[in-house]
Amino acid sequence: MAQPKGTVVLAYSGGLDTSCILVWLKEEGYTVIAYLANIGQKEDFEAARKKALALGAKKVYIEDISREFVEEFIWPAVQANALYEDRYLLGTALARPCIARRLVQIAQQERAQYVAHGATGKGNDQVRFELTCYALCPNIKVVAPWRLPKFYQRFPGRRELMDYAKKHGISVPVTPQTPWSMDENLMHISYEAGILENPKNQAPPGLYTKTRDPATSPDTPDVLEIEFERGVPVKVTNARDGASRCEALELFVYLNEIAGKHGVGRIDIVENRFVGMKSRGFWHSPEGEFLRQCIRRSQEGVTGTVRLSVFKGQVYILGRESPRSLYNEELVSMNVQGDYEPADATGFININSLRLKEYHRLQSKVTLKQDE
Amino acid sequence: MAQPKGTVVLAYSGGLDTSCILVWLKEEGYTVIAYLANIGQKEDFEAARKKALALGAKKVYIEDISREFVEEFIWPAVQANALYEDRYLLGTALARPCIARRLVQIAQQERAQYVAHGATGKGNDQVRFELTCYALCPNIKVVAPWRLPKFYQRFPGRRELMDYAKKHGISVPVTPQTPWSMDENLMHISYEAGILENPKNQAPPGLYTKTRDPATSPDTPDVLEIEFERGVPVKVTNARDGASRCEALELFVYLNEIAGKHGVGRIDIVENRFVGMKSRGFWHSPEGEFLRQCIRRSQEGVTGTVRLSVFKGQVYILGRESPRSLYNEELVSMNVQGDYEPADATGFININSLRLKEYHRLQSKVTLKQDE
Amino acid sequence: MAQPKGTVVLAYSGGLDTSCILVWLKEEGYTVIAYLANIGQKEDFEAARKKALALGAKKVYIEDISREFVEEFIWPAVQANALYEDRYLLGTALARPCIARRLVQIAQQERAQYVAHGATGKGNDQVRFELTCYALCPNIKVVAPWRLPKFYQRFPGRRELMDYAKKHGISVPVTPQTPWSMDENLMHISYEAGILENPKNQAPPGLYTKTRDPATSPDTPDVLEIEFERGVPVKVTNARDGASRCEALELFVYLNEIAGKHGVGRIDIVENRFVGMKSRGFWHSPEGEFLRQCIRRSQEGVTGTVRLSVFKGQVYILGRESPRSLYNEELVSMNVQGDYEPADATGFININSLRLKEYHRLQSKVTLKQDE
Amino acid sequence: MAQPKGTVVLAYSGGLDTSCILVWLKEEGYTVIAYLANIGQKEDFEAARKKALALGAKKVYIEDISREFVEEFIWPAVQANALYEDRYLLGTALARPCIARRLVQIAQQERAQYVAHGATGKGNDQVRFELTCYALCPNIKVVAPWRLPKFYQRFPGRRELMDYAKKHGISVPVTPQTPWSMDENLMHISYEAGILENPKNQAPPGLYTKTRDPATSPDTPDVLEIEFERGVPVKVTNARDGASRCEALELFVYLNEIAGKHGVGRIDIVENRFVGMKSRGFWHSPEGEFLRQCIRRSQEGVTGTVRLSVFKGQVYILGRESPRSLYNEELVSMNVQGDYEPADATGFININSLRLKEYHRLQSKVTLKQDE
């Protein structure tokens, strides 16, 4: 056994990697506290707790942080229309600072000097986790085994991990492993690695777990009305059966349910990591705070209702209305003159064309010169 | 009859408005040449020609400019991933400078001092048409009847136009008018005005003419492979039946056909006009030229093949490959270490967190001071 | 005499143009109220008042709005580091919405339906004035004589104005006119038009009235210390004589005095008007309000003191300090290691170079292929 | 003596640090080739050569790369108006990729596997040097002693370096060291570190070596005319004595001479390092290449002559002209109507104010509601 090194709070998932890490940290001399965030993923939390204790965790925190995830992380992203490369809703990137914030709080509460995680040394998660930790608690020390040569040279592949697990009585999943990895939370599930690493390959049909295949999804749409206030959904009503939800977490879960039922939300994307990476993890940073404040203010007029149809993998907007809209039907109407004087547009266009005419004049002059 | 005023080339559609304008321009003393661009819309061009001549046009130009529309306007937009408000592919905005460029050329050829169009004084088309005309031929004079008080006070509504048409032997459409207006070309069809002016209203089911309703579209997808070179599609192959297209116009028409068959491409959007308007029409401008050159260069590496499934109103990417991709499967792989040294990431994260730690240090200092 | 048309509030300067316009507006049937804003320009305000009354103004408003100009318009511009084309501090552009805001208030107070101004039809001032008026009081009607054919065809040049003045007993300046026009306020004086219209011409030596020629300015600098709070100067102290100012208007006037004494602030610039014009005049607009709020917030940490030397047309920064600075001397020091681990930089650079190496690999592959 | 490790090309300056590094690298088992770039700095290159050979360098490269520095690095920066934080001309940042490019070429030529430099582990130079090396030669290995614990723990301060120098017969400068460090090249000289690390301190009077103190600079200006073609100076003429320069390097040196004589170019700035650092060093990168190509194109019309006065630390623009200018004196003139119709501006302003009026209407509605 190594020298005692103090206490570490480990971001623990119950899976093979973090179970092995838990045992390895103990071997290294750490006292280990396991922390498992319930952020909406499907998981047997009680089994995970028992496993951690059995492997020697001094204490296990299992906490449901779904509500703060929706209210403090997802809603601001909705207000910002946050979309990575016009497609990806950043489900993983948004969850990490929420999880890591609590990780650091527990470390402070437990007077632990260390936190640890099982993220690999190649991905974005390590960056997101650690920047959050350092931003909120600059003196914290992070143990990232997958970046320590001592660890990654000992466990170059899955086989060595399995051997270690067997040797230390770590239960190994009996169901065959999917040839890809998953990250699930309330907001999304992402699949990557394994056979998905070749961008030419099609995702296999059985992969999706949160959305039905649009080919077999219902043949009639659900029609929803979503009310917004200041850029955030405050009520959803289903026109088909009158069901409605108002509380943030319930509302979000309901939208997920309807979308999943109709196969909405499947995308396939090649992300960028590291420099120019998917998300810099800079949620807890001066520029992050500033941006969120500005965006929140920009959404003050985004209040109203949108009516939409969810069907066969698509969302169709049917109509929208807002008491704060600048849209004035009479003014824009092609049939009514309203307050609008068509002759004004002549001056508008003439003034706008002035510089184009000047540019043309100049081009002709230059061309003439070249022709001389 | 008014004083002779010279020759005007009228952007003519064969419809009620431009037919009345044709006759009115003659009344005003103009010699009228009608110009009708075939830019992919469904129309009886021969009937339109006869009608224009019957109404007194001195000459009629009907020209197919679909090929230049695809190659010189649509392709550059594809290279730029040009999307208005993340949704609208700018089908109208791209067609206008293409049509107007030819309008000006005809005017120059015919030594006409004037061009005329039937665009309203409230919309964007007037701006796009005229800026193109002025940019390419600064001395041209534009007659825009819908902005002349003399004209618009005489024809405040559709009824007055109908009366005028009857009086002057202008054939009036016998089929009842749709309660909205349409703009069709090779790239898209847009519907606006009339009952669509209330953004709360749902578009009526019978409205769509280019896309099938996803509810009744085929139950099996088409799987396409599209090859790109320098950001532009150069070949499409249908995996179902082996059909393929290489020539730009044919390829584009084929993609439209498959997309339409599966109900792909229906959107509903409230656009902005005028200032901050949908498209400023500045296609022919120094900044427009500069941007297109830069974008073209940015696309030099966009070469490769994308495989996609078209189904029930959606397009799903199945896979992609490119000989010029920066993606290196071995480097990114979660299973292989490749050229990558995980320990480097520690330094990377530490350096990136430096300023967050400093910010935290400062915040604490400020807070301490405030607490004193 | 024309039909009575109601009351107009005229932005009046006391000069030839607006005096003639005052009389002309009366001829046209308006009751005229003259409004002259004291915004820091050198002027005989009492003479201007008498003149306006003598010319038939029903009432004259002369108001000192310097303080609100500094606090509500100049300070926000300072917070934004607002610089037009990296050089021009926007002295005219910032004054216009301040003047026009009061113009509209007076019109509302006096129940006048009209406001009028003497800005030309080519410049930016007309835009700034009127957008402010329309933004704050959409029903106001603007009379801009220099854009009315009836007016500008009657007064095609200065001579016709002079004749009109003589005929109507309007006193005409006896001193010869400078061959350029000036716009002065608290913040700056700008010179344009006349011989300055040729951008090749050097500004004549006698032109400058607010700054001494650096060639004859003092041979010893003034050294100032300026304290900022939230991005705005709150105190200036002169190290030479201990003079200090704290109140916004006095502080600003003092800085102007010192800068002028040392010839600081002379620039020569070709501005853009109209589209892409110097300032769009959109001070009173939703985007303007939003931006100012965000900028104000961004300046919350801009607190501290800068020490500078003002000398021979230049300002030299001598030193600065801030209790909220992120600068940490120990951390950045080249002599002290501080909290910093140099070895971390190796990982940082390696990770940053990853994609460059990949790009090189790809380029070689592409080149090899081309060579085959 | 250590195991032989192969050949390293050392970026050598002749100063204390790189002389010690040269000897240390030999101790470590490397064969050392010294490379010293003449990039315009004042230095006894021959003495540096002899010193390197005496210290055991196998070979010494001393090369004048000033011309490529001006033509390939400085001119593109001029075209881009490249200014860091509105003030700093990036003299160090531009020199590094130029020096490092040659460093790598020499390594390839000499079949050396390693390059080494004496940049510290805290600054930007290490990043610029190494990213250039990796971008141009991904397999190169960089030895950065100041980031190796073995080295920096052995030499924690200047004293240990001096001791090492004495022990190994490395000549040590006899003149007392300035309490700051300098980086000089053709484009600039920068001073940092030491007493300059406190941003509150004023730079001491004797610090500047390239510019005269404006307080004692000549009392008469030099007036220069600089001709540009495509954004780059091609000729400078001094109006005082008729001197002129056309060749890029000579022209640049001459401008430096005149500017230095009049004290032009002194700035004081707190830079950012690392993330968001002064220059990312990404000169040799895909985005760098793309940007330079686009900027070059954007400068195609920047042709003409600017006349300016250089005096007492300032540059005053006196006039400018260009055959490709869009400026049209007749059009902009306040005295001539030109092609311009003032009445058009009314329509232009009305259209631009439309949305402001709508916004006002809406605000009133909202306010009314709140008041109810």
Side-chain angles (χ1 to χ4, degrees):
Chain A
M1 215 35 163
Q3 283 271 103
K5 287 192 177 131
T7 301
V8 64
V9 184
L10 168 67
Y12 168 77
S13 76
L16 178 65
D17 282 40
T18 53
S19 296
C20 289
I21 286 172
L22 196 163
V23 175
W24 183 84
L25 286 167
K26 277 183 52 202
E27 263 186 26
E28 290 290 305
Y30 293 96
T31 302
V32 182
I33 293 174
Y35 156 59
L36 172 47
N38 174 351
I39 197 157
Q41 73 274 37
K42 291 207 170 44
E43 197 152 342
D44 184 339
F45 292 103
E46 270 322 296
R49 178 192 303 277
K50 279 182 199 148
K51 185 173 180 182
L53 291 170
L55 295 177
K58 182 189 146 201
K59 203 165 175 178
V60 180
Y61 281 85
I62 296 185
E63 305 200 345
D64 185 342
I65 55 172
S66 305
R67 179 157 284 108
E68 42 264 60
F69 182 40
V70 173
E71 291 175 358
E72 298 175 47
F73 294 83
I74 297 181
W75 278 176
V78 167
Q79 287 182 309
N81 294 322
L83 259 193
Y84 172 73
E85 299 211 348
D86 295 327
R87 224 178 314 165
Y88 175 43
L89 288 164
L90 294 163
T92 302
L94 290 168
R96 293 303 172 255
C98 182
I99 296 171
R101 183 176 66 175
R102 187 68 194 122
L103 178 67
V104 162
Q105 287 166 349
I106 293 171
Q108 287 174 321
Q109 210 166 291
E110 296 281 350
R111 301 183 181 278
Q113 276 185 286
Y114 300 90
V115 293
H117 62 74
T120 73
K122 278 190 177 178
N124 295 321
D125 279 345
Q126 55 174 346
V127 184
R128 297 177 188 126
F129 270 128
E130 298 182 29
L131 292 187
T132 298
C133 293
Y134 291 134
L136 299 178
C137 179
N139 299 320
I140 201 77
K141 287 193 175 49
V142 176
V143 184
W146 283 118
R147 288 205 313 266
L148 298 174
K150 185 180 185 179
F151 187 88
Y152 65 75
Q153 280 156 13
R154 179 164 170 194
F155 303 108
R158 192 171 161 77
R159 177 147 13 128
E160 289 80 359
L161 264 192
M162 300 278 270
D163 291 348
Y164 185 80
K166 271 180 213 148
K167 197 175 133 199
H168 291 83
I170 300 168
S171 66
V172 168
V174 285
T175 52
Q177 206 199 8
T178 56
W180 56 78
S181 74
M182 289 181 265
D183 174 63
E184 186 189 11
N185 62 46
L186 192 63
M187 192 180 182
H188 93 331
I189 185 163
S190 66
Y191 313 89
E192 60 169 356
I195 58 167
L196 302 176
E197 278 172 356
N198 184 339
K200 195 184 170 182
N201 289 350
Q202 182 176 351
L207 171 139
Y208 298 100
T209 62
K210 287 198 124 168
T211 49
R212 279 181 61 173
D213 185 340
T216 61
S217 69
D219 286 323
T220 46
D222 275 275
V223 171
L224 304 178
E225 243 178 47
I226 309 179
E227 286 179 44
F228 281 79
E229 263 173 35
R230 299 169 183 268
V232 157
V234 293
K235 185 178 183 188
V236 58
T237 312
N238 192 325
R240 218 169 33 78
D241 60 9
S244 80
R245 300 288 184 282
C246 292
E247 191 274 326
L249 179 56
E250 287 180 11
L251 186 158
F252 193 81
V253 168
Y254 184 73
L255 288 176
N256 260 353
E257 177 193 323
I258 299 296
K261 168 182 165 191
H262 290 283
V264 166
R266 297 180 170 195
I267 63 156
D268 182 303
I269 188 169
V270 178
E271 64 168 15
N272 295 302
R273 297 197 206 137
F274 299 114
V275 173
M277 58 194 149
K278 187 160 63 178
S279 156
R280 303 256 184 89
F282 287 116
W283 184 274
H284 295 291
S285 64
E287 69 272 30
E289 280 169 38
F290 174 70
L291 263 180
R292 284 191 298 275
Q293 286 166 341
C294 292
I295 288 167
R296 196 184 313 129
R297 193 171 275 282
S298 79
Q299 297 299 297
E300 283 187 350
V302 184
T303 289
T305 304
V306 60
R307 193 175 165 86
L308 40 83
S309 164
V310 189
F311 182 62
K312 292 281 180 196
Q314 266 285 34
V315 174
Y316 300 90
I317 295 171
L318 303 181
R320 77 284 277 160
E321 69 182 321
S322 163
R324 308 217 29 197
S325 171
L326 284 166
Y327 187 89
N328 174 347
E329 192 169 348
E330 192 179 286
L331 180 67
V332 306
S333 171
M334 290 300 180
N335 302 323
V336 192
Q337 188 173 319
D339 264 340
Y340 185 79
E341 195 55 61
D344 280 341
T346 303
F348 179 72
I349 295 173
N350 285 345
I351 297 292
N352 273 299
S353 71
L354 256 188
R355 64 182 189 87
L356 301 180
K357 293 177 179 174
E358 283 304 299
Y359 181 63
H360 189 278
R361 182 186 58 78
L362 181 76
Q363 296 293 89
S364 319
K365 231 171 59 185
V366 172
T367 315
L368 271 177
K369 272 242 171 98
Q370 288 170 340
D371 291 352
E372 275 165 26
Chain B
M1 214 38 161
Q3 283 271 103
K5 288 195 177 127
T7 302
V8 63
V9 183
L10 169 67
Y12 169 78
S13 76
L16 178 67
D17 281 41
T18 53
S19 296
C20 288
I21 286 172
L22 196 164
V23 174
W24 182 84
L25 286 167
K26 277 182 55 202
E27 263 185 28
E28 289 290 304
Y30 294 97
T31 302
V32 182
I33 293 174
Y35 155 61
L36 173 46
N38 173 352
I39 197 158
Q41 74 275 37
K42 292 206 172 45
E43 196 152 343
D44 184 341
F45 292 102
E46 270 324 295
R49 178 191 303 278
K50 280 182 199 150
K51 185 172 179 182
L53 290 169
L55 295 177
K58 184 190 143 198
K59 205 166 172 177
V60 181
Y61 280 84
I62 295 186
E63 305 200 345
D64 185 342
I65 55 171
S66 306
R67 179 157 282 108
E68 42 265 60
F69 182 41
V70 173
E71 291 174 357
E72 298 176 46
F73 295 83
I74 297 180
W75 279 176
V78 167
Q79 286 182 309
N81 294 323
L83 259 193
Y84 173 72
E85 300 209 349
D86 295 327
R87 225 178 314 163
Y88 175 44
L89 289 163
L90 294 164
T92 302
L94 290 168
R96 293 302 172 256
C98 181
I99 296 171
R101 182 176 68 174
R102 187 68 194 123
L103 178 69
V104 163
Q105 286 166 349
I106 293 172
Q108 288 174 320
Q109 208 167 292
E110 296 282 350
R111 301 185 180 279
Q113 277 185 286
Y114 301 90
V115 294
H117 63 74
T120 73
K122 278 190 179 178
N124 295 322
D125 279 345
Q126 55 174 348
V127 184
R128 296 175 189 129
F129 271 129
E130 298 182 29
L131 291 187
T132 299
C133 293
Y134 291 134
L136 299 177
C137 178
N139 299 320
I140 202 77
K141 288 194 172 49
V142 176
V143 184
W146 284 117
R147 288 204 314 264
L148 298 174
K150 185 180 184 178
F151 186 89
Y152 67 73
Q153 280 156 13
R154 179 164 170 194
F155 302 108
R158 191 172 160 78
R159 175 144 18 124
E160 290 80 0
L161 263 192
M162 300 279 269
D163 292 347
Y164 185 80
K166 271 178 214 152
K167 197 176 132 197
H168 290 84
I170 300 168
S171 65
V172 169
V174 284
T175 53
Q177 207 200 6
T178 56
W180 56 76
S181 75
M182 289 181 264
D183 174 62
E184 187 190 11
N185 62 46
L186 192 63
M187 192 177 181
H188 92 331
I189 185 162
S190 65
Y191 312 88
E192 60 170 354
I195 58 168
L196 302 176
E197 276 170 358
N198 185 339
K200 195 185 170 180
N201 288 349
Q202 182 177 353
L207 171 139
Y208 298 100
T209 63
K210 289 198 123 168
T211 49
R212 280 180 62 173
D213 185 342
T216 62
S217 69
D219 286 324
T220 46
D222 276 275
V223 172
L224 303 179
E225 242 179 47
I226 309 180
E227 286 179 44
F228 280 80
E229 264 173 34
R230 299 169 183 270
V232 156
V234 293
K235 186 176 182 187
V236 56
T237 311
N238 193 324
R240 218 171 31 79
D241 60 9
S244 81
R245 300 289 185 280
C246 291
E247 192 273 328
L249 179 55
E250 287 180 12
L251 185 159
F252 194 82
V253 168
Y254 183 74
L255 288 176
N256 261 352
E257 178 193 323
I258 298 296
K261 169 183 164 190
H262 289 284
V264 167
R266 296 181 169 193
I267 63 158
D268 183 303
I269 188 170
V270 178
E271 64 168 17
N272 294 303
R273 298 198 206 135
F274 300 115
V275 174
M277 58 194 151
K278 188 162 60 179
S279 156
R280 303 257 183 89
F282 286 116
W283 184 275
H284 295 291
S285 65
E287 69 273 30
E289 280 170 37
F290 174 70
L291 264 181
R292 284 190 298 275
Q293 286 165 342
C294 292
I295 289 168
R296 197 184 312 129
R297 193 170 277 282
S298 79
Q299 297 298 298
E300 283 187 352
V302 184
T303 290
T305 303
V306 59
R307 194 174 166 86
L308 40 83
S309 164
V310 190
F311 182 62
K312 291 281 180 197
Q314 266 285 36
V315 173
Y316 300 90
I317 295 171
L318 305 181
R320 75 287 274 161
E321 68 183 321
S322 163
R324 306 217 30 198
S325 172
L326 284 166
Y327 186 90
N328 174 348
E329 193 169 346
E330 193 180 287
L331 181 67
V332 306
S333 172
M334 290 300 179
N335 302 323
V336 192
Q337 188 173 320
D339 264 340
Y340 186 80
E341 194 55 61
D344 281 341
T346 303
F348 179 71
I349 295 173
N350 285 346
I351 297 292
N352 274 299
S353 71
L354 255 189
R355 64 183 189 86
L356 300 179
K357 292 178 179 174
E358 283 305 297
Y359 181 63
H360 189 279
R361 180 185 59 77
L362 181 76
Q363 296 292 88
S364 319
K365 231 171 59 184
V366 172
T367 314
L368 271 177
K369 272 239 171 99
Q370 288 171 340
D371 291 352
E372 276 164 25
Chain C
M1 215 38 164
Q3 285 271 103
K5 288 190 178 132
T7 301
V8 63
V9 184
L10 169 66
Y12 169 77
S13 76
L16 179 65
D17 282 41
T18 53
S19 297
C20 289
I21 286 172
L22 195 164
V23 175
W24 183 83
L25 286 167
K26 279 183 52 203
E27 264 185 25
E28 289 289 306
Y30 293 97
T31 301
V32 182
I33 293 173
Y35 156 59
L36 171 49
N38 174 352
I39 198 158
Q41 73 275 37
K42 291 206 169 45
E43 197 152 343
D44 184 340
F45 292 103
E46 270 322 296
R49 180 192 304 276
K50 281 180 198 151
K51 186 174 180 181
L53 291 169
L55 296 177
K58 184 188 145 198
K59 204 167 177 176
V60 181
Y61 281 84
I62 296 186
E63 307 200 343
D64 185 342
I65 56 172
S66 305
R67 179 156 283 109
E68 42 264 61
F69 183 39
V70 173
E71 291 174 356
E72 298 176 46
F73 294 84
I74 296 181
W75 279 176
V78 167
Q79 287 182 309
N81 295 321
L83 259 194
Y84 172 72
E85 300 211 348
D86 295 326
R87 224 176 315 164
Y88 176 43
L89 289 163
L90 295 163
T92 302
L94 290 168
R96 295 302 173 255
C98 181
I99 296 171
R101 181 176 67 174
R102 187 66 193 124
L103 178 69
V104 163
Q105 285 166 350
I106 294 172
Q108 287 174 321
Q109 210 165 292
E110 297 281 350
R111 300 185 181 279
Q113 276 185 286
Y114 300 90
V115 294
H117 63 73
T120 72
K122 278 191 177 176
N124 295 324
D125 279 345
Q126 55 173 348
V127 184
R128 297 175 188 130
F129 271 128
E130 299 182 29
L131 292 188
T132 299
C133 294
Y134 291 135
L136 298 178
C137 178
N139 299 320
I140 202 76
K141 286 192 175 51
V142 176
V143 184
W146 284 118
R147 287 204 315 263
L148 298 173
K150 185 181 184 178
F151 185 89
Y152 65 75
Q153 280 156 13
R154 179 165 169 193
F155 302 109
R158 192 171 159 78
R159 178 148 10 130
E160 289 80 0
L161 264 191
M162 300 278 269
D163 292 348
Y164 184 80
K166 271 178 214 153
K167 199 176 131 196
H168 291 83
I170 299 168
S171 65
V172 168
V174 284
T175 52
Q177 206 199 6
T178 55
W180 57 76
S181 73
M182 289 180 265
D183 175 63
E184 188 190 8
N185 62 46
L186 192 63
M187 192 179 180
H188 92 331
I189 184 162
S190 66
Y191 311 89
E192 61 169 354
I195 58 166
L196 302 176
E197 276 171 357
N198 185 338
K200 195 184 170 181
N201 288 350
Q202 181 176 352
L207 171 138
Y208 298 100
T209 62
K210 287 197 125 168
T211 50
R212 280 180 63 175
D213 185 341
T216 62
S217 69
D219 286 324
T220 45
D222 276 276
V223 171
L224 304 178
E225 244 179 46
I226 309 178
E227 287 180 43
F228 281 78
E229 264 173 34
R230 298 170 183 269
V232 157
V234 292
K235 185 176 183 189
V236 59
T237 311
N238 193 325
R240 219 169 32 78
D241 60 8
S244 79
R245 301 286 185 282
C246 292
E247 190 274 329
L249 180 55
E250 287 179 13
L251 186 158
F252 194 81
V253 168
Y254 183 72
L255 288 177
N256 261 353
E257 179 193 322
I258 298 295
K261 168 184 166 191
H262 289 283
V264 166
R266 297 181 168 193
I267 63 156
D268 182 304
I269 187 169
V270 177
E271 64 167 17
N272 295 302
R273 296 198 208 135
F274 300 115
V275 174
M277 58 192 149
K278 185 162 61 178
S279 156
R280 304 257 182 88
F282 286 115
W283 184 275
H284 294 291
S285 63
E287 68 274 31
E289 280 169 37
F290 174 70
L291 265 180
R292 282 190 300 274
Q293 287 165 341
C294 293
I295 288 168
R296 198 183 313 130
R297 193 171 276 282
S298 78
Q299 297 299 296
E300 284 186 351
V302 184
T303 290
T305 303
V306 61
R307 192 174 167 86
L308 41 83
S309 166
V310 189
F311 182 61
K312 292 281 178 195
Q314 267 284 36
V315 174
Y316 299 90
I317 295 170
L318 304 182
R320 74 286 274 162
E321 68 183 321
S322 165
R324 308 215 31 196
S325 172
L326 284 166
Y327 187 90
N328 174 347
E329 192 170 346
E330 191 180 289
L331 180 67
V332 306
S333 171
M334 290 301 179
N335 302 323
V336 192
Q337 189 173 319
D339 264 342
Y340 187 79
E341 195 54 62
D344 280 342
T346 303
F348 179 71
I349 296 174
N350 286 346
I351 297 292
N352 273 299
S353 71
L354 256 190
R355 63 183 189 86
L356 300 180
K357 293 178 179 174
E358 283 304 298
Y359 182 62
H360 189 278
R361 181 185 59 76
L362 181 77
Q363 295 294 87
S364 319
K365 229 170 64 184
V366 171
T367 314
L368 272 176
K369 271 235 172 105
Q370 286 170 343
D371 292 352
E372 275 165 22
Chain D
M1 214 39 163
Q3 283 272 102
K5 286 191 179 133
T7 301
V8 63
V9 184
L10 168 66
Y12 169 76
S13 76
L16 178 66
D17 282 40
T18 52
S19 296
C20 288
I21 287 173
L22 196 164
V23 175
W24 183 83
L25 286 168
K26 277 183 55 201
E27 264 184 27
E28 290 289 304
Y30 294 97
T31 302
V32 182
I33 292 174
Y35 155 60
L36 172 47
N38 174 351
I39 199 158
Q41 73 275 39
K42 291 208 170 46
E43 197 152 342
D44 184 341
F45 292 103
E46 270 323 295
R49 179 192 303 278
K50 279 181 201 150
K51 186 173 180 180
L53 290 170
L55 296 177
K58 184 187 146 202
K59 204 166 174 178
V60 181
Y61 280 84
I62 295 186
E63 305 200 345
D64 186 341
I65 56 172
S66 306
R67 180 156 284 108
E68 42 264 60
F69 183 39
V70 174
E71 291 175 357
E72 298 176 47
F73 294 84
I74 297 181
W75 279 176
V78 168
Q79 288 183 309
N81 294 323
L83 258 193
Y84 172 72
E85 299 211 348
D86 294 328
R87 227 177 313 165
Y88 175 43
L89 289 163
L90 294 164
T92 301
L94 290 168
R96 294 302 172 257
C98 181
I99 295 170
R101 182 177 66 175
R102 187 67 194 124
L103 178 69
V104 163
Q105 285 165 351
I106 292 172
Q108 288 173 320
Q109 211 166 291
E110 297 281 349
R111 299 181 181 282
Q113 275 184 288
Y114 299 91
V115 294
H117 62 74
T120 73
K122 277 191 177 176
N124 295 322
D125 279 345
Q126 55 173 347
V127 184
R128 297 177 189 128
F129 270 128
E130 298 182 30
L131 292 186
T132 298
C133 293
Y134 291 134
L136 299 178
C137 178
N139 298 321
I140 202 78
K141 286 191 174 52
V142 176
V143 183
W146 284 119
R147 289 203 315 264
L148 298 175
K150 185 181 184 177
F151 186 89
Y152 67 74
Q153 281 158 9
R154 178 163 169 195
F155 303 108
R158 192 173 159 76
R159 177 149 12 131
E160 289 80 359
L161 264 191
M162 299 278 270
D163 292 346
Y164 185 79
K166 271 179 214 153
K167 197 177 132 196
H168 290 83
I170 300 168
S171 64
V172 169
V174 285
T175 52
Q177 208 199 6
T178 56
W180 56 77
S181 74
M182 289 181 263
D183 175 62
E184 187 190 10
N185 62 46
L186 191 63
M187 193 178 180
H188 92 330
I189 185 163
S190 65
Y191 312 89
E192 60 169 356
I195 58 167
L196 302 176
E197 275 170 359
N198 185 338
K200 196 185 169 182
N201 289 349
Q202 181 176 353
L207 172 138
Y208 298 100
T209 61
K210 289 197 124 170
T211 49
R212 278 179 64 174
D213 184 341
T216 62
S217 69
D219 285 325
T220 46
D222 275 275
V223 172
L224 304 178
E225 243 178 48
I226 308 178
E227 287 180 44
F228 280 80
E229 265 173 35
R230 298 167 183 271
V232 157
V234 292
K235 187 176 181 189
V236 57
T237 311
N238 192 324
R240 218 170 32 78
D241 62 7
S244 80
R245 300 287 185 282
C246 292
E247 192 274 328
L249 179 55
E250 287 179 12
L251 186 158
F252 194 81
V253 168
Y254 183 73
L255 288 176
N256 260 353
E257 178 194 323
I258 298 296
K261 169 183 165 191
H262 289 284
V264 166
R266 296 181 170 192
I267 64 158
D268 183 303
I269 187 169
V270 177
E271 63 168 19
N272 296 300
R273 298 198 206 134
F274 299 114
V275 174
M277 59 193 147
K278 187 161 60 178
S279 158
R280 304 256 184 89
F282 287 116
W283 184 275
H284 295 291
S285 64
E287 68 274 31
E289 280 169 37
F290 174 70
L291 264 180
R292 284 192 298 275
Q293 286 165 343
C294 292
I295 288 169
R296 198 184 311 130
R297 193 171 277 282
S298 79
Q299 297 298 298
E300 283 187 351
V302 184
T303 290
T305 303
V306 61
R307 193 174 166 87
L308 40 83
S309 166
V310 189
F311 182 62
K312 291 283 178 194
Q314 266 284 34
V315 174
Y316 299 91
I317 295 170
L318 305 181
R320 75 286 275 162
E321 68 183 322
S322 163
R324 307 213 35 194
S325 171
L326 284 166
Y327 186 89
N328 174 348
E329 193 170 345
E330 193 179 287
L331 180 67
V332 305
S333 172
M334 290 300 179
N335 302 322
V336 193
Q337 189 173 319
D339 263 342
Y340 186 80
E341 195 55 60
D344 281 342
T346 303
F348 179 72
I349 295 172
N350 286 346
I351 297 292
N352 273 299
S353 71
L354 256 188
R355 64 183 188 86
L356 300 180
K357 294 177 179 174
E358 283 303 300
Y359 181 63
H360 189 278
R361 180 185 60 77
L362 182 75
Q363 296 292 88
S364 320
K365 230 170 60 184
V366 172
T367 314
L368 272 176
K369 272 235 171 103
Q370 288 170 339
D371 292 351
E372 276 166 24

